[in-house]
Amino acid sequence: MKKILALVLAMLMALSLVACGSSSDDTATDDTSDSTTTEEESGTDEEEADADAEADAEVEETGDVEAADSITLWTYPIGGWGTEETVNALIEGFTAETGISVTVEYLDYTNGDEKVNTALAAGEGPDLIMEGPERLVADWGASGYMVDISDLLDDTDIAEINSAALDACYGDDGAVYEYPLVMTAHCMAINKTVFEAAGAMQYLDEETHLWNSSEDFFAAVQAVYEYTGSTVGAIYCGGQGGDQGTRALVNNLYGGTFASEDHTSYTWNSEENIQALEALVACEGIEFDASIVGGDEIAQFYQGTLNMAFCWNIAQQLDPNTAGTGSGLTLNGDEILFMAFPTEDGSDPELCGGIWGFGIFNNGDDAKIAAAKLFIQYMCDSEATADAVTAANYFAVRDTVVDGTVDISDIWADNEIMNEYNILMQYLGDYYQVTTNWTAARYQWWNMLQVIGAGGDVAEAVETYASNADAGISE
């Protein structure tokens, strides 16, 4: 808490000096005041001057310290950060430490973006928001709504934070629009109990969580389909919610990509991706479903309607469907096995990464911005960070906090599932979610899947919608 305490101390010093200054000014206008200054009073003045200089130094280092006494936080459902009880416990600690109260509003991925955009257009955005760089950096940051918080990162912070995670938090203008807290690798999952009964486990490596090949992936789907007589997995496309799963599936099947390396254009109109989409259309056990999004798919997988999920990660493995009925188990008690996405020859996949942290909206109130910065430091770089990370059910973006004095690398040491899941972190691919026109691209992606699922020509649809993404068409 060193940085936070320094900020609070400086704030209190500054406020006390303001009060002393007001009293002195009042006395100076009183004709009966004694103008004599004793040696003791002179010494006090010197001490106050030293304190003033120290406070000024803190201000120069960390920004405005006259923090507001209340701020608002909007958070997407990032593990326990979407749960009121969990968030309240974290905020109580922050309020006790700083005296700043926090009002929280919980967003979802169905209408959260619309709610935020409407608030921003009306000049009524929250002070703080918790989400990933695809929104905080590539969308709201690029649109000029976010505060540059690079002053929160000193050389030690930059060295401590995972470089890939931190790089994604910089805008094209060099500003930092997000302070990262946690990260993960997105993946898929299967109902291991059903796969065993269907004789489909032969097509994958349970120990490495890799498929033998794309061919074996489709063989497994066929085996389960013949065993159950029902859809095994769904290409959900009712909206953009959880769309990282369908993107990763398509890109990995035959080695396609989604965006260029410099994040300036979209590359999903490739022969490899066309081949993958055509194979998915032809697969009996795979259904394109325009009536659901990722959260619905997870629910159906948990309930046993589907036996494969493409919208999966460690938070789901720990608490499937956030039902609280047992880690790694479906509603019926079947075992859930998390898996990387299949590749053509079974080699290393490239998994979409998830990065989540905090950003500050520039509402023109310096005091609230200062308070929001205190909040970020408390959650991301203090002794409270371990609790903030475990609440999210993801992996910390750093091993130590508070200038390397507090080790948080072992916070999941006693969690067998987290330790096992860590095997997928080596497959994190490019964080292309910060590519130009990202909001438009997501819109075009799920609309393309709807057209293909309805029988549209795959190659034509891929070319049309990828071109629309490059053009920034979002409706």
Side-chain angles (χ1 to χ4, degrees), residues 380-417:
C380 299
D381 190 15
S382 80
E383 293 181 355
T385 300
D387 290 335
V389 170
T390 54
N393 285 337
Y394 290 125
F395 299 93
V397 298
R398 59 201 301 176
D399 289 335
T400 62
V401 292
V402 195
D403 293 329
T405 62
V406 179
D407 185 358
I408 60 171
S409 63
D410 61 350
I411 57 177
W412 295 117
D414 297 329
N415 190 305
E416 182 179 349
I417 294 176

Side-chain angles (χ1 to χ4, degrees), residues 293-306 309 312 316 320-321 331:
V293 293
D296 304 312
E297 181 229 35
I298 291 170
Q300 291 187 21
F301 175 68
Y302 173 72
Q303 293 161 2
T305 303
L306 299 173
W312 207 252
Q316 289 298 335
N321 201 40
L331 178 63

Side-chain angles (χ1 to χ4, degrees), residues 112-367:
D113 292 359
E114 180 181 357
K115 186 169 187 176
V116 173
N117 289 330
T118 299
L120 292 175
E124 299 173 349
D127 301 307
L128 274 161
I129 190 161
M130 184 180 191
E131 181 41 10
E134 58 268 37
R135 290 178 173 83
L136 274 61
V137 178
D139 189 355
W140 300 316
S143 299
Y145 291 113
M146 309 296 294
V147 173
D148 180 3
I149 55 174
S150 55
D151 60 319
L152 294 181
L153 296 165
D154 59 25
D155 291 342
T156 304
D157 295 319
I158 292 172
E160 288 175 344
I161 298 172
N162 177 279
S163 59
L166 186 58
D167 287 347
C169 296
Y170 283 85
D172 292 339
D173 57 358
V176 176
Y177 293 122
E178 175 168 343
Y179 199 116
L181 173 68
V182 291
M183 62 184 183
T184 194
H186 293 299
C187 65
M188 61 176 295
I190 63 170
N191 185 317
K192 179 184 173 183
T193 304
V194 173
F195 266 59
E196 286 178 333
M201 291 296 290
Q202 62 181 304
Y203 300 113
L204 57 90
D205 187 326
E206 182 177 354
E207 185 175 345
T208 64
H209 298 266
L210 299 177
W211 296 90
N212 298 337
S213 65
S214 293
E215 181 180 355
D216 274 8
F217 165 78
F218 285 113
V221 172
Q222 185 64 29
V224 174
Y225 175 71
E226 291 176 357
Y227 174 76
T228 62
S230 60
T231 299
V232 180
I235 306 299
Y236 46 89
C237 48
Q240 70 183 31
D243 59 349
Q244 81 282 340
T246 54
R247 298 195 310 266
L249 174 63
V250 171
N251 293 163
N252 276 284
L253 273 171
Y254 297 107
T257 58
F258 194 81
S260 62
E261 290 185 6
D262 62 0
H263 303 151
T264 60
S265 63
Y266 293 93
T267 58
W268 81 68
N269 55 337
S270 65
E271 290 300 322
E272 293 85 356
N273 287 338
I274 291 172
Q275 180 183 2
L277 286 163
E278 288 177 340
L280 290 168
V281 169
C283 182
E284 286 185 299
I286 300 292
E287 177 187 0
F288 284 67
D289 193 339
S291 69
I292 63 173
V293 293
D296 304 312
E297 181 229 35
I298 291 170
Q300 291 187 21
F301 175 68
Y302 173 72
Q303 293 161 2
T305 303
L306 299 173
N307 288 300
M308 180 178 286
F310 303 122
C311 187
W312 207 252
N313 56 43
I314 185 59
Q316 289 298 335
Q317 190 71 19
L318 290 169
D319 188 8
N321 201 40
T322 61
T325 54
S327 297
L329 299 174
T330 69
L331 178 63
N332 298 325
D334 290 350
E335 184 177 352
I336 297 171
L337 179 68
F338 65 83
M339 293 290 299
F341 289 95
T343 58
E344 187 171 14
D345 60 1
S347 60
D348 295 351
E350 287 196 18
L351 303 183
C352 286
I355 300 170
W356 296 276
F358 302 96
I360 301 173
F361 283 117
N362 191 350
N363 294 324
D365 190 326
D366 290 342

